[in-house]
Amino acid sequence: MKKAILGVCAVTLALALAACGSAPASGSAPASQPASASQPASEPASQPGSEPASEPASEPAEADYTAYTLQFDVPEKFAQLEEPPEGVSAMFQAADGSSINLVIYENDGSLASDVKQEDLVSLLEESMQQMGLEVEVLNPVFETGKLGDVCPYYRIDYTVVLNDVVMGQTMMGINADRAYTFTFTDMTGDWGQFFVDAIASITPVAQ
């Protein structure tokens, strides 16, 4: 029963974070970084007998993150549920109740990299309190950036103490062709390296 309650909580948190400001919502680098495809701009040839004009270097054009989709490796011993909970696009679960939830929805112009740590922590606590549960969010570690120098993302790692039960969670929101929210929930503390590897495998792939 305890595992079932915690599993429901993990799904609730994933959906709550996916709705955070309509922006997507998870110690290693967030993903492998593909090589940059940008090339230096060519310089115009100087005219004979004249000094080359001094021009400011042009800014490289930003890659269009909507031209990319995401791929990632599901850890061994995590089986995909045939019927994920309502609102969840895909859910992978281990025998101990640990899980990976994926919520996918359309981009609305907001960027994951604009999300703030304090907003996420407040939302986490509020969503649990609405379920009538006492919860503490401990030791949050937060970062934002661009995955593969292309896709805006945020990531937050933290520990949840829920009714005297401790579980670790990592949530990661990424803008790509759509908005993706990954939620990694470790119920037993046994999946740390598995989740590190899975998160590191999240990669933007040009369509």
Side-chain angles (χ1 to χ4, degrees):
M1 179 62 71
K2 185 180 291 184
K3 289 179 181 178
I5 292 173
L6 293 177
V8 170
C9 292
V11 171
T12 300
L13 293 178
L15 294 175
L17 285 181
C20 177
S22 297
S26 232
S28 66
S32 54
Q33 304 278 330
S36 171
S38 62
Q39 297 293 333
S42 58
E43 297 181 0
S46 58
Q47 296 294 326
S50 65
E51 292 294 324
S54 175
E55 296 183 1
S58 59
E59 292 290 330
E62 288 194 9
D64 179 9
Y65 62 80
T66 63
Y68 292 77
T69 189
L70 299 179
Q71 66 180 22
F72 80 109
D73 298 331
V74 179
E76 293 183 11
K77 301 183 181 179
F78 279 75
Q80 184 169 1
L81 300 186
E82 293 185 3
E83 296 184 8
E86 183 177 356
V88 176
S89 304
M91 182 171 181
F92 308 86
Q93 197 164 46
D96 65 1
S98 297
S99 64
I100 302 171
N101 298 326
L102 176 58
V103 179
I104 305 174
Y105 52 99
E106 297 303 318
N107 284 307
D108 66 354
S110 57
L111 297 181
S113 55
D114 291 336
V115 174
K116 306 297 183 185
Q117 175 177 328
E118 53 269 24
D119 296 333
L120 288 179
V121 172
S122 295
L123 184 59
L124 287 167
E125 294 174 341
E126 289 172 8
S127 63
M128 301 298 275
Q129 290 167 1
Q130 289 173 3
M131 297 179 66
L133 300 169
E134 293 296 325
V135 63
E136 290 182 272
V137 177
L138 303 177
N139 306 316
V141 177
F142 181 75
E143 68 180 38
T144 60
K146 284 191 176 181
L147 189 66
D149 293 328
V150 174
C151 296
Y153 79 87
Y154 74 75
R155 172 177 172 167
I156 184 167
D157 299 79
Y158 55 92
T159 299
V160 171
V161 180
L162 177 62
N163 294 348
D164 298 324
V165 177
V166 179
M167 63 178 177
Q169 285 194 317
T170 296
M171 297 197 181
M172 192 166 182
I174 308 168
N175 291 102
D177 58 330
R178 289 180 288 175
Y180 296 76
T181 303
F182 293 86
T183 308
F184 297 81
T185 303
D186 189 346
M187 298 287 196
T188 59
D190 294 334
W191 301 104
Q193 188 59 50
F194 290 87
F195 284 175
V196 166
D197 293 343
I199 292 168
S201 77
I202 302 173
T203 306
V205 178
Q207 300 188 85

